[in-house]
Amino acid sequence: MTLTNYRNYETLHIAFSPSVNVFVGENAQGKTNALEAIYFLAMGKSHRTHRDADCIRWNCSDAQIQSEVFVHGKVRRLQIDFHQGAKRASVNGVNQAKMTDFVGQFQVVLFAPEDLQLVKGGPQGRRRFIDMELGQTYPKYLYHLSQYQRALQQRNSLLKNMLPNASALLDVLDAQLVEHGSEVLLRRLRFLDRMKQLAADIYTSISDGREELALDYACSVAPMTDSEPPDKSRIQSLFSAALERRRSADMQAGHTTVGPHRDDLLFTLNGQPVQSFASQGQQRTIALSLRLAEIDLIQQEVGEYPVLLLDDVLSELDDIRQRNLVFNMSQKVQTIVTTTSLFQLRDKLQADVRLFQVRSGIIQNEG
Amino acid sequence: MWGFPEPIQHLVEQFMKLPGIGPKTATRLAFCVLDMSAEDVHEFAVALEDVKRKLTECAICCNITEDSPCSICRDPSRDNHVLCVVQDAKDVAAMEKTHEFHGRYHVLHGAISPLEGIGPNDIRMKELVQRIGTSDIREVIVATNPNVEGEATAMYIARLLKPFSVMVTRIAHGLPVGGDLEYADEVTLAKALEGRRQI
């Protein structure tokens, strides 16, 4: 990868190992900036800012990210130019008219410190995580989700200000919620089904088998048991019955108290709910397991592993977890890790791990 | 602070009541009126008034018309057994352009949307039910917009008309004619796939 006037890099050439790459450096030296550039090449945007101009080096007008990537055994030359407030992308020298055509030339999964909120934060963040994952693979999911949210707004507004004929109108809105909400639920349940085992296995291997992670979809409509596979007509009848059952309560509350918009993801470690019992390091390991499970899902979907970007995650993990994480990843995924110090990793590094020192906009390969 | 003379200011405010017109455009329009000849301005004012004064709602289909019943409702060559329900007078014009529909219309003047405080009683729903009860209509085609509000209105109509012996149908979702498949958005394409038929 070559960066020109990107963030704090004037010029930077860097050759990555196909296995694990570690960026070591003090704070504010440009470790995350280098990760951001890789993310930019894959997603066509930054994960930190909406303003592309922020990515251009101070007092410069243009910037460039260039890289060769190996996808399905072939080399692709990707390039993004920032010029006069616009960005232009090209693949193998061919200009891409639309950024959406450029996005997805290769896949990345980013784990940033904020991802801890997946475990620690409110249910909204966890629903958004599922929605983003599903939206990327199934455009129809986003359609059903937005229709569901619109119908929900209509219903809530009716519950607050009862119009004449409200009950007949509620029947109609309930039918709409069921139509779109069941599609949302069905996709989410299927997704969770695949995610569950992957995340649990990853957690076990990082924690050296000391703890067991379980993942459950807490469904406000009805408890969804594993024994029966999710089935559309069953979900529809359950949802419609739940809406009917809750109607008088909903009328009192002035909003809809049941449906996919009230659902959550529950994590338990050895049977204990995580939100109240798990340590910071355990919670981070869970968030990490979710992202790593995403890697396997993408592999199943696309047929190739994405590039894993780990921004500053080692600091809160103990030695064993650090080693297991890095070892696990070096087995299958090209990984780029940033860290302020190597902790105990240095002696345990395998030969194929490439180490880079990052110091104020200069990156040196330390082998 | 200096401002425009009161008559201009007043006109600007009036223009700003129109959709899509902000203070800049309204000011430009107001000064354009100032530059117009007195006759043109008069004609403009009369046209504005006539829209309200000369138009009424058709007693049968609720479409806007100069004379009630409207020309479509009076047309003896039209099919009395098929009724097309639309949200808006503009939708009648759109349907008429197809030259394919020869039945009658019913204009609702809106769609059910509790968010905007619009319930069934705020659109011409009662008139529709009355009409079904007193005429010889056998099929009601619901041609409301394919969004949440339009679908809710369609479902509501279907429920309301259950007691009558009429068939209620909904217009299809699908691909635009003459377009390329590759340009269709994913959701429309998925909908079109759902509504496929044998050939």
Side-chain angles (χ1 to χ4, degrees), chain B residues 130-185:
Chain B
Q130 259 166 23
R131 199 172 165 194
I132 303 296
T134 56
S135 64
D136 193 18
I137 290 162
R138 289 173 202 161
E139 180 180 359
V140 174
I141 304 170
V142 186
T144 51
N145 291 335
N147 53 27
V148 167
E149 293 75 25
E151 295 293 349
T153 310
M155 270 198 251
Y156 190 82
I157 290 173
R159 274 160 197 254
L160 218 54
L161 299 186
K162 257 212 184 106
F164 302 93
S165 59
V166 290
M167 181 164 72
V168 181
T169 55
R170 181 88 177 99
I171 50 165
H173 303 280
L175 294 170
V177 174
D180 281 333
L181 207 60
E182 58 171 321
Y183 290 125
D185 70 286

Side-chain angles (χ1 to χ4, degrees), chain A residues 205-208 320-329:
Chain A
S205 71
I206 296 180
S207 70
D208 244 6
I320 297 172
R321 281 167 207 253
Q322 284 178 19
R323 196 196 58 215
N324 286 341
L325 172 66
V326 174
F327 180 73
N328 252 316
M329 289 307 115

Side-chain angles (χ1 to χ4, degrees), chain A residues 89 95-103, chain B residues 183:
Chain A
N95 258 323
Q96 304 293 303
K98 278 188 294 182
M99 211 59 189
T100 45
D101 296 335
F102 178 79
V103 173
Chain B
Y183 290 125

Side-chain angles (χ1 to χ4, degrees), chain A residues 170-202:
Chain A
L170 277 174
D171 287 345
V172 166
L173 291 171
D174 286 5
Q176 281 188 310
L177 284 186
V178 169
E179 183 192 338
H180 298 295
S182 301
E183 294 281 351
V184 170
L185 262 179
L186 185 69
R187 288 273 182 220
R188 283 189 186 172
L189 287 167
R190 282 189 186 152
F191 172 73
L192 250 290
D193 241 22
R194 295 168 60 196
M195 187 85 173
K196 215 182 256 182
Q197 198 52 50
L198 288 173
D201 289 348
I202 291 165

Side-chain angles (χ1 to χ4, degrees), chain A residues 21 50 84 98 142 145 346:
Chain A
N21 301 271
H50 297 296
Q84 292 179 339
K98 278 188 294 182
L142 287 184
L145 188 66
R346 191 180 286 273

Side-chain angles (χ1 to χ4, degrees), chain A residues 193 196 216 223-231 234:
Chain A
D193 241 22
K196 215 182 256 182
D216 273 301
M224 293 290 166
T225 50
D226 294 335
S227 52
E228 289 164 89
D231 162 76
R234 192 172 138 259

